[in-house]
Amino acid sequence: MVSRAAVPGESPGADGDLRLERVTKRFGSFTAVDDISLSIPQGSFFALLGASGCGKTTTLRMVSGLEDPTQGRIYLGQREVTDLKPYKRPVNTVFQNYALFPHLDIFENVAFGLRRRGVKDVRGQVEQMLELVELGHLARRKPAQLSGGQQQRVAVARALINQPQVLLLDEPLGALDLKLRRQMQIELKRIQTEVGLTFVHVTHDQEEAMTMADTIAVMNAGRIEQLGSPAQLYENPASTFVANFLGQSNLISGEVTGKDGDVITLDAQGRRLTLPVARARVEAGRIIAGVRPEKVSLALDESAIPAGHNVLTGGVVSDASFIGVSTQYLVKMPWGPEVGCEEMSVFEQNTGREIHRPGTPVLLHWHPAQTFGLDGSQDLDAGADLDDEAAA
Amino acid sequence: MSAQTANLGVPPAPAAAAESEPPRRRRRNHLPYLLLAPTLLWLVVFFVVPIFTSVSASVQEGSLDQGYALTWRWANFADGWNQYNGQFGRSLLFAFLCTVFCLLMGYPLAYFIAFKGGRWKTLLMALVIVPSFTSFLIRTIAWKTILSDNGVIVHALSSLHILGFTSAIGFTVGNHVLASPAAVVCGMVYNFLPFTVLPLYTSLEKIDPRLHEAGADLYCSPLATWRRVTLPLSMPGVVGGTLLTFIPAVGDYVNAQLLGNPNTIVIGQSIEHEFLQDSTGYPIASALSVILMAATLAIVLVYVKKAGTEDLL
Amino acid sequence: MSAASSSPLSGPRTAAAPAAEPRTAAGRRGRGPVEWIRAHVLATTSVLVFVFLLAPNVVMFVMSFNAPIGRYNYIWHQFSADAWRHPCAVGDICQHMGLSLEIGVVAMIGSTVLGTMAAFAMSRHRFRARPMVNTLLFLPMAAPEIIMGATLLTLFFTTIGSGSMGFWTIVIGHIMFCLSYVVVTVKSRLAGMDPTLENAAQDLYATPLQTFMKVTLPLVAPGIMAAALLSFALSVDDYIVTKYTAGDQITFPLYVYGAVQRSVPTQIDVIGSMMMLVTMTGIMAMLVVSRVRARRR
């Protein structure tokens, strides 16, 4: 179900692959990372996405060697590095708050790793690296004299100069403002493409993960909820957690009533909905049907709805926000939280359509192929409350 | 869910094999104990053990010439107390007065430096500490000059008839300030004021000045803002400062010796006298130190407990 | 920058003179000196407290130029720089000072080394006995000096006898009461240090020893320096514990204390003034350096 083919040019067990085998980390009685297995192909940009406390940073620290796994093994290519000290691993980290040495200038910060390894021609390499991140003119400044964006680039340069097999990025853009963050996202992606290293990027920002990564692993409570390309995760979430955490989803639970070829029919509160078998995680029993807000349209009466669409009746617009490119609606539905989202989100493209005022009774409709089906035994709201925090 | 993660490209290991793998052993780290060992040993041998030898000495009998023997003579405590209870009382009184005056003078100063000091904060705090870097004995002797009979202070106080009043309540003697309880307390306040100011400053400096604006915005007068916002937030500093002042002040006898008179003798002088000048005084002196130690500890514990539950004010 | 630095206190509320207030009728009403003081209670009190704190130092400095009548340098008589020209002319005053400095250096080194080690253990490691160790480290600061002196005396008296007490027993006592201060000072510096810096160093191929030498130590150095200076100052200035552990040795504070009973020569004030000038120069130099550094940014 999760394809590694999303990453181009990889072959199983390639020499530079980073592999985690059944890795578990416990702090006392708390399990931070719970039996994770991963294989990250050489040269890929991999993101670990999750809310704070989900175990993503702990996973990263185990790869860097700053934390010892309680159980499990870690491999770099064919070589096991589980017990290798951090200063002996060909892995470098860009830390969350950069962790630049305040007592050393920029040049010495970047040179630090080379000097520890006794590399010759430190000066030439450092100057070259500083040019790459466009900070050559600031070589003799102290970190405190640099702006956030500049510090961030120093941190990247300081790690990259060692040509590690894997570069770990621990929320590297968290401290930057939005505009700078966008800029650095593109910059980091450019550097990664240029140097061709494996980047493992930890973040709680789903947009950042989707922009930059080839492959994303969504983590929750120490486990990986789902792994795949950004598009796969968005279009085919495997659980309500992923559906709610990655973007927004309208979820409604029901009972499978029949299967006809490659179409599943379900009954939700007396309303008949259909979805493709290929997008359903279960084919019988309780099921949760989901649809992304931008896939849904509003209509005032049945006549405007194309034949074969899934339709939900009885909605009343409770809020409408015009945000330029689209209008975002909240539609109050006539059911309780045990059935599905009490308020459904609808994003309508601003193509000159009429804007419905709050209080207007509306019908919701969408093409059945846009529906995904999830195992009906899950909590409908999983991951939803984390979204605000993650967006912050 | 684990079935799902097992699918993620890595050939799943047989579950039984993984379960049988024992958790990694944690190496026991002896480094902290090694680092601590010299300091702990030092404190135990030269701080804790002496307390016990002192307690033991306090129930001995004998003299310097004939040596001392452990005879469990608990009467040393009674003798010491009977002979010196006045000095005990005076020590506590002086220390209490000293703490109160230090707080009254130190709080405004710390407040001023913390909130109005601007970029001169460091310099002003240095000014508070600079005096401490000269021998405190010499500075105490300087008070003899300042408070001398033909000095400005005495002239001013006597022409304002303040000395008459303070003499009447026994704080000064006649038309002098020197050789009086007032001079002793003055010297103590002077000596221990930096100990009050430092913790106060540390806790005040942490307070966001915008809280004052918030207080004013929420209908508090400056005084009410201080009472409701600043003071509660600075309580750790108040507790720390008063403790750092009171504890050494109880045992201090240098000020009493240099600025006092025979009627201002405090327990420290009595202990020194018994220890160093009286050839049979060693057990009594030990008993006195044990009493002082116990009394200080009791007062501090009660105070900290009260302060801890915020019943202090 | 230069305009701002010309006013001694930056806050306009404290620096503003009455004349600088707006000259409207309302602004001028009731603006006598008493009103001004009431509006500046805090500043006035602070100035008075500063006077109280600094007066003895000024008096000491002035009196070091006195030519006193009689043996006690308490009353101003007339100017003389004799004592400054011959600071060691009285008895063994400079030998006593020398002894104090020697003890100070040894106690400083001892307590700084031991205390720094302990501070590292306390702030970087979690172990079972930690709360108990914390209490033990705190207790010497919470004990009146006379208790430490008196109990140490009984220890030395019952073990090595009063005849063997001297330089080393003084040093032992001084290290004992300096240790807690060193631990507290270094610990607070360590607590203020970002622990990911050490992670970063390890990540960049520094062994634990290299991490310590290249990152931790340089960053904690100011705290260790401060702790060393503090313990040196505490040791040189100590009277009470020294009195009980000195045997027949006479440090400078013991000499001064004894002198009050016999005679107070001007040289005492001279030496006091020298100590003050040295420390003030040191602090000034530090302030200037840090300001220059700040300006270079």
Side-chain angles (χ1 to χ4, degrees):
Chain A
M1 123 206 80
V2 174
S3 158
R4 296 188 349 134
V7 181
E10 51 100 11
S11 58
D15 273 355
D17 284 13
L18 168 65
R19 284 188 298 140
L20 277 69
E21 262 182 29
R22 312 214 59 165
V23 169
T24 295
K25 176 68 185 179
R26 278 188 277 273
F27 296 103
S29 61
F30 173 68
T31 306
V33 173
D34 192 3
D35 195 17
I36 276 189
S37 296
L38 265 183
S39 176
I40 299 172
Q42 184 170 19
S44 66
F45 200 125
F46 189 93
L48 281 168
L49 174 66
S52 56
C54 72
K56 57 191 191 304
T57 296
T58 309
T59 308
L60 197 76
R61 286 171 66 85
M62 286 191 287
V63 174
S64 67
L66 294 168
E67 214 80 70
D68 290 328
T70 316
Q71 265 168 325
R73 296 199 185 83
I74 299 169
Y75 296 91
L76 262 175
Q78 299 307 315
R79 182 175 174 212
E80 178 172 356
V81 296
T82 320
D83 291 317
L84 214 56
K85 294 282 177 205
Y87 49 88
K88 292 193 174 140
R89 287 192 198 196
V91 169
N92 289 108
T93 310
V94 177
F95 289 86
Q96 183 163 16
N97 50 3
Y98 317 137
L100 300 180
F101 303 121
H103 60 299
L104 302 177
D105 62 26
I106 300 312
F107 185 94
E108 285 304 320
N109 261 286
V110 175
F112 194 91
L114 297 182
R115 292 204 195 283
R116 297 290 83 73
R117 289 184 299 152
V119 171
K120 302 264 180 297
D121 185 34
V122 170
R123 167 168 292 278
Q125 287 194 45
V126 172
E127 279 169 359
Q128 207 181 334
M129 183 51 73
L130 284 175
E131 284 315 314
L132 179 75
V133 295
E134 294 160 7
L135 287 173
H137 57 296
L138 298 176
R140 290 300 161 197
R141 296 272 185 91
K142 289 281 177 70
Q145 296 163 268
L146 266 56
S147 71
Q150 291 169 331
Q151 290 186 19
Q152 210 275 334
R153 278 184 279 166
V154 175
V156 172
R158 186 178 72 171
L160 269 183
I161 196 169
N162 303 293
Q163 299 174 329
Q165 268 177 270
V166 178
L167 185 76
L168 307 175
L169 302 120
D170 185 3
E171 304 259 7
L173 308 176
L176 304 179
D177 62 50
L178 194 66
K179 202 175 156 196
L180 203 51
R181 203 148 69 205
R182 294 272 173 274
Q183 207 176 313
M184 292 304 301
Q185 284 172 4
I186 296 163
E187 187 90 337
L188 273 178
K189 184 73 194 168
R190 176 183 70 81
I191 293 175
Q192 195 261 338
T193 323
E194 240 165 67
V195 296
L197 292 174
T198 312
F199 276 37
V200 179
H201 179 192
V202 156
T203 182
H204 64 244
D205 183 339
Q206 32 134 337
E207 227 173 288
E208 187 172 300
M210 294 215 264
T211 318
M212 299 166 78
D214 310 319
T215 313
I216 299 175
V218 179
M219 283 189 77
N220 181 32
R223 289 166 168 271
I224 293 180
E225 287 269 339
Q226 192 177 0
L227 184 145
S229 72
Q232 278 175 325
L233 294 187
Y234 188 79
E235 300 301 348
N236 266 339
S239 65
T240 54
F241 180 87
V242 178
N244 288 323
F245 186 72
L246 215 72
Q248 293 182 44
S249 293
N250 295 308
L251 300 176
I252 176 168
S253 63
E255 203 78 34
V256 176
T257 53
K259 186 180 158 194
D260 179 16
D262 53 0
V263 174
I264 285 180
T265 314
L266 68 105
D267 174 79
Q269 291 292 298
R271 294 165 182 87
R272 187 178 160 279
L273 301 175
T274 55
L275 71 147
V277 171
R279 299 191 64 183
R281 303 266 160 187
V282 288
E283 294 181 12
R286 290 195 62 75
I287 190 168
I288 294 171
V291 62
R292 296 290 187 178
E294 73 278 5
K295 311 283 196 317
V296 185
S297 304
L298 298 182
L300 292 174
D301 52 75
E302 304 247 357
S303 62
I305 298 173
H309 266 206
N310 281 332
V311 181
L312 291 175
T313 52
V316 175
V317 173
S318 61
D319 187 68
S321 321
F322 177 74
I323 59 161
V325 291
S326 65
T327 306
Q328 306 198 345
Y329 293 100
L330 283 178
V331 180
K332 181 91 183 75
M333 300 309 288
W335 54 59
E338 70 287 349
V339 177
C341 302
E342 286 178 277
E343 288 194 311
M344 295 236 170
S345 292
V346 178
F347 301 165
E348 284 209 317
Q349 279 294 314
N350 181 14
T351 49
R353 266 181 280 204
E354 170 192 6
I355 294 176
H356 306 291
R357 308 244 318 261
T360 315
V362 288
L363 302 162
L364 281 69
H365 64 97
W366 66 92
H367 194 279
Q370 306 285 15
T371 322
F372 54 85
L374 303 172
D375 181 354
S377 61
Q378 301 174 75
D379 176 10
L380 279 170
D381 291 328
D385 45 339
L386 294 168
D387 200 46
D388 294 337
E389 180 196 356
Chain B
M1 203 61 57
S2 79
Q4 184 192 341
T5 52
N7 265 344
L8 305 177
V10 183
E19 243 114 83
S20 66
E21 183 188 349
R24 293 161 178 286
R25 274 172 293 113
R26 287 234 128 254
R27 286 163 303 237
R28 255 205 173 283
N29 196 354
H30 296 285
L31 188 64
Y33 294 100
L34 278 175
L35 287 172
L36 273 172
T39 296
L40 289 187
L41 199 68
W42 202 279
L43 287 182
V44 167
V45 173
F46 300 117
F47 180 72
V48 179
V49 169
I51 290 174
F52 288 104
T53 53
S54 247
V55 172
S56 139
S58 67
V59 287
Q60 292 180 6
E61 229 177 325
S63 72
L64 199 55
D65 316 317
Q66 288 144 16
Y68 295 89
L70 183 63
T71 59
W72 298 99
R73 191 177 182 277
W74 293 101
N76 288 334
F77 282 92
D79 292 353
W81 176 253
N82 289 337
Q83 204 176 339
Y84 294 112
N85 57 43
Q87 279 79 347
F88 269 114
R90 205 174 286 128
S91 280
L92 292 179
L93 177 68
F94 284 175
F96 174 75
L97 288 174
C98 165
T99 309
V100 170
F101 280 113
C102 278
L103 197 56
L104 289 179
M105 295 167 73
Y107 200 99
L109 183 67
Y111 187 98
F112 177 81
I113 299 176
F115 294 121
K116 311 286 164 98
R119 53 198 210 86
W120 298 92
K121 271 183 193 173
T122 326
L123 183 75
L124 291 175
M125 275 319 285
L127 270 184
V128 173
I129 305 165
V130 160
S132 322
F133 279 81
T134 322
S135 167
F136 82 105
L137 286 163
I138 301 179
R139 287 179 288 128
T140 307
I141 289 172
W143 278 106
K144 285 198 162 212
T145 304
I146 299 171
L147 300 176
S148 65
D149 289 350
N150 38 13
V152 197
I153 306 265
V154 170
H155 275 296
L157 291 179
S158 69
S159 57
L160 289 169
H161 299 287
I162 291 173
L163 281 185
F165 171 72
T166 51
S167 297
I169 60 166
F171 246 69
T172 53
V173 183
N175 229 352
H176 314 285
V177 174
L178 271 184
S180 73
V184 175
V185 173
C186 170
M188 288 169 76
V189 170
Y190 169 74
N191 255 307
F192 297 118
L193 190 53
F195 292 87
T196 321
V197 174
L198 270 174
L200 277 174
Y201 172 77
T202 317
S203 68
L204 283 169
E205 217 257 336
K206 280 190 205 135
I207 300 176
D208 189 337
R210 281 173 299 182
L211 288 180
H212 293 162
E213 291 164 14
D217 183 56
L218 298 167
Y219 316 106
C220 276
S221 68
L223 202 65
T225 304
W226 175 78
R227 169 84 182 74
R228 306 266 166 218
V229 180
T230 319
L231 184 62
L233 287 174
S234 62
M235 276 319 280
V238 173
V239 174
T242 44
L243 279 178
L244 276 183
T245 308
F246 181 81
I247 294 170
V250 171
D252 175 76
Y253 62 97
V254 173
N255 287 289
Q257 177 77 25
L258 296 184
L259 301 172
N261 63 24
N263 292 320
T264 62
I265 290 181
V266 292
I267 193 64
Q269 284 160 291
S270 311
I271 293 177
E272 186 183 299
H273 174 82
E274 290 287 347
F275 257 130
L276 304 170
Q277 269 126 49
D278 189 328
S279 64
T280 60
Y282 173 68
I284 294 268
S286 299
L288 292 177
S289 345
V290 172
I291 296 175
L292 178 63
M293 187 160 50
T296 314
L297 200 64
I299 292 171
V300 167
L301 284 182
V302 169
Y303 177 77
V304 168
K305 195 150 196 214
K306 283 235 159 193
T309 54
E310 292 174 357
D311 280 340
L312 206 65
L313 284 176
Chain C
M1 185 116 195
S2 63
S5 61
S6 63
S7 83
L9 298 169
S10 68
R13 273 160 295 192
T14 58
E21 295 292 328
R23 290 202 198 139
T24 59
R28 222 191 288 180
R29 183 157 47 87
R31 282 252 156 211
V34 177
E35 297 300 310
W36 187 84
I37 287 175
R38 187 184 291 168
H40 297 80
V41 171
L42 192 61
T44 317
T45 316
S46 303
V47 169
L48 288 178
V49 176
F50 265 124
V51 169
F52 175 77
L53 273 172
L54 297 173
N57 291 57
V58 175
V59 168
M60 170 189 75
F61 188 67
V62 171
M63 295 303 276
S64 70
F65 291 101
N66 189 21
I69 312 173
R71 289 176 299 146
Y72 290 94
N73 182 24
Y74 291 155
I75 313 286
W76 178 259
H77 177 55
Q78 67 181 49
F79 179 86
S80 153
D82 278 358
W84 278 91
R85 252 176 255 130
H86 312 287
C88 293
V90 192
D92 294 329
I93 188 166
C94 285
Q95 275 90 313
H96 300 310
M97 194 66 224
L99 177 66
S100 275
L101 292 177
E102 242 174 274
I103 292 171
V105 169
V106 178
M108 172 183 79
I109 294 171
S111 57
T112 308
V113 171
L114 297 191
T116 302
M117 282 162 58
F120 268 96
M122 294 303 285
S123 67
R124 284 300 146 86
H125 301 276
R126 297 282 170 274
F127 48 97
R128 203 171 308 162
R130 203 165 174 276
M132 221 182 74
V133 173
N134 235 339
T135 314
L136 181 61
L137 284 170
F138 168 74
L139 272 178
M141 285 199 292
E145 255 195 275
I146 186 160
I147 301 290
M148 296 191 276
T151 55
L152 264 180
L153 175 67
T154 58
L155 175 78
F156 292 140
F157 188 82
T158 49
T159 50
I160 59 173
S162 53
S164 322
M165 286 156 68
F167 185 89
W168 287 107
T169 48
I170 300 175
V171 167
I172 285 172
H174 286 193
I175 291 182
M176 189 268 288
F177 70 69
C178 287
L179 272 176
S180 308
Y181 290 95
V182 174
V183 174
V184 168
T185 314
V186 177
K187 224 171 83 180
S188 73
R189 178 83 194 178
L190 273 170
M193 198 184 127
D194 181 359
T196 52
L197 289 175
E198 284 165 342
N199 284 340
Q202 290 209 24
D203 186 62
L204 295 164
Y205 312 104
T207 61
L209 185 68
Q210 287 174 328
T211 304
F212 180 77
M213 297 304 291
K214 299 280 178 191
V215 175
T216 317
L217 203 57
L219 288 171
V220 185
I224 298 177
M225 278 285 289
L229 285 177
L230 180 66
S231 46
F232 180 74
L234 284 172
S235 166
V236 169
D237 203 23
D238 180 73
Y239 169 74
I240 296 180
V241 169
T242 316
K243 173 80 181 171
Y244 285 89
T245 51
D248 57 359
Q249 295 290 310
I250 299 174
T251 64
F252 185 69
L254 295 193
Y255 167 79
V256 173
Y257 190 86
V260 178
Q261 264 95 42
R262 300 180 306 271
S263 73
V264 177
T266 316
Q267 274 77 1
I268 286 182
D269 287 320
V270 171
I271 292 186
S273 303
M274 285 178 178
M275 289 163 79
M276 178 176 76
L277 292 177
V278 168
T279 45
M280 273 170 69
T281 320
I283 288 180
M284 284 297 183
M286 265 159 54
L287 279 179
V288 167
V289 166
S290 70
R291 192 136 293 182
V292 167
R293 266 202 204 144
R295 196 170 301 177
R296 229 191 288 156
R297 291 195 171 169

